[in-house]
Amino acid sequence: MTLDLRTAATDYLVDRRARGWRLADHDYLITGFLDGLEARGLTKITITDALAFAQEPAEITLCWQARRLTVIRHLAAHIHSLDPAAADLIPPHLITGKVTRRIPYLYSNEQVAQLMSMTSILRPPLMAASMHTLIGLLAATGLRSGEAVALDVDDLDIDEGVLAVTGKYGKQRIIPLHRTTVEALSAYLGVRATKSGPIGPLLIGCKGGRLNANLARQAFRVLVDTCQLSARPGGSVPRLHDFRHTFAVDSLIDALRQGTDVDARIAVLVSYLGHVEPANTYWYLTASPELMAMVSERMAAYQGRWS
């Protein structure tokens, strides 16, 4: 009896998600791959077909080709375990694509203040208040913008001064807030309550529903253009996500200036920022020329003691 690839693929996705994997782009990639096989009357996953799918369309990057192939490779391994005749095992590294990190835009304190002040140009006033609060919250906590807009009022404990944040892969963490951040959020709650009541999403949009992340990015683009914050050489245009980079870099610079153990500070940031891998936090050591210079000076001084 021939194994039904679509049924096996559905069971595969359900099983992996039950074990905690989000697999955000797997559904449409696997569906597209199986649609292609079916259109050609094929009932087996082969290395040749997997490679052809990964490399289409021709103009996509090697990194995305490698990503597409990885999705099909894992599916093929699952199906091969059920019926070796239904799928070949696809070797790893047939396509290698290195992930290139964007050079972050690191905001100065003056730029953060300027952007927050400029939110007054946004309409309606509720959108201005929400964007003002969003920017201040991201700058003060280093949250991902998606984490911030996903917050509910119940996630904020004003009395304890903490936020309960759900990050990538459903990981939850508690974020302590500075007194001034608590005061700003308390003031915003008074504004939003007139439109949305005492419960529901923390940050709300023009109609009282949850602030839409894409609309927030569009509004932020208006603020960036109005403040004339242009991209720096070799870098990208300023983004909401760059407040997270700025927070991490500033924290590491502060540790170096105080003579604090940088590895210890990074260990704290791994948990605080909700990183899955410590390597994602160590990357921030290379994100700022000032930080790199301070690290180099520290290393030179250390080597000098042993020369």
Side-chain angles (χ1 to χ4, degrees):
M1 180 178 179
T2 303
L3 183 72
D4 183 78
L5 295 181
R6 290 191 187 273
T7 300
T10 299
D11 293 342
Y12 161 76
L13 291 172
V14 169
D15 177 65
R16 291 199 69 190
R17 285 182 172 131
R19 288 182 281 147
W21 295 90
R22 295 183 67 184
L23 311 178
D25 53 3
H26 280 49
D27 291 275
Y28 81 89
L29 288 175
I30 288 174
T31 297
F33 175 68
L34 295 181
D35 285 347
L37 293 184
E38 187 176 290
R40 288 174 286 145
L42 302 176
T43 58
K44 177 180 179 178
I45 298 175
T46 66
I47 296 174
T48 300
D49 290 321
L51 278 171
F53 172 77
Q55 293 170 326
E56 60 185 33
E59 64 270 15
I60 65 174
T61 65
L62 275 176
C63 182
W64 185 232
Q65 289 181 24
R67 173 64 178 160
R68 288 165 66 93
L69 184 59
T70 297
V71 170
I72 305 307
R73 183 168 67 84
H74 289 163
L75 171 66
H78 171 78
I79 292 177
H80 182 88
S81 69
L82 301 175
D83 181 1
D88 292 336
L89 289 175
I90 302 172
H93 311 307
L94 292 180
I95 300 176
T96 56
K98 183 179 180 181
V99 176
T100 303
R101 290 182 180 268
R102 283 191 180 190
I103 298 175
Y105 189 100
L106 301 178
Y107 300 101
S108 66
N109 290 336
E110 293 74 20
Q111 288 173 326
V112 174
Q114 182 185 16
L115 287 164
M116 293 181 69
S117 175
M118 197 58 67
T119 57
S120 61
I121 71 172
L122 299 175
R123 294 292 181 269
L126 181 59
M127 187 65 173
S130 294
M131 286 301 298
H132 185 275
T133 303
L134 174 62
I135 292 172
L137 182 62
L138 297 181
T141 63
L143 292 180
R144 301 175 179 94
S145 57
E147 293 173 341
V149 299
L151 290 169
D152 291 328
V153 173
D154 290 344
D155 295 324
L156 172 63
D157 188 327
I158 291 291
D159 295 331
E160 295 295 329
V162 296
L163 270 176
V165 179
T166 301
K168 285 186 174 181
Y169 310 112
K171 291 183 63 178
Q172 296 183 323
R173 64 191 192 277
I174 301 297
I175 298 295
L177 303 174
H178 190 270
R179 173 184 54 80
T180 56
T181 305
V182 174
E183 292 172 354
L185 288 172
S186 296
Y188 174 72
L189 285 178
V191 173
R192 71 168 293 291
T194 62
K195 185 71 176 180
S196 190
I199 60 174
L202 177 62
L203 297 169
I204 58 176
C206 302
K207 298 181 180 179
R210 188 177 303 279
L211 179 63
N212 181 277
N214 289 329
L215 292 179
R217 294 187 189 99
Q218 292 173 19
F220 186 69
R221 182 75 258 156
V222 171
L223 300 176
V224 166
D225 292 342
T226 304
C227 293
Q228 298 182 339
L229 302 185
S230 57
R232 289 170 178 155
S236 58
V237 296
R239 303 168 300 158
L240 282 172
H241 193 70
D242 289 320
F243 288 109
R244 180 173 171 84
H245 295 310
T246 302
F247 177 90
V249 168
D250 286 349
S251 179
L252 292 175
I253 288 176
D254 180 66
L256 284 167
R257 285 175 175 166
Q258 294 181 9
T260 304
D261 185 341
V262 175
D263 286 333
R265 178 63 61 89
I266 285 178
V268 172
L269 281 174
V270 168
S271 177
Y272 184 91
L273 295 173
H275 282 160
V276 177
E277 297 290 342
N280 294 328
T281 312
Y282 273 98
W283 172 77
Y284 287 117
L285 290 171
T286 68
S288 162
E290 179 184 2
L291 187 54
M292 283 294 292
M294 295 176 73
V295 171
S296 297
E297 290 172 5
R298 177 76 67 87
M299 291 181 64
Y302 177 81
Q303 291 171 349
R305 293 200 300 266
W306 296 95
S307 60

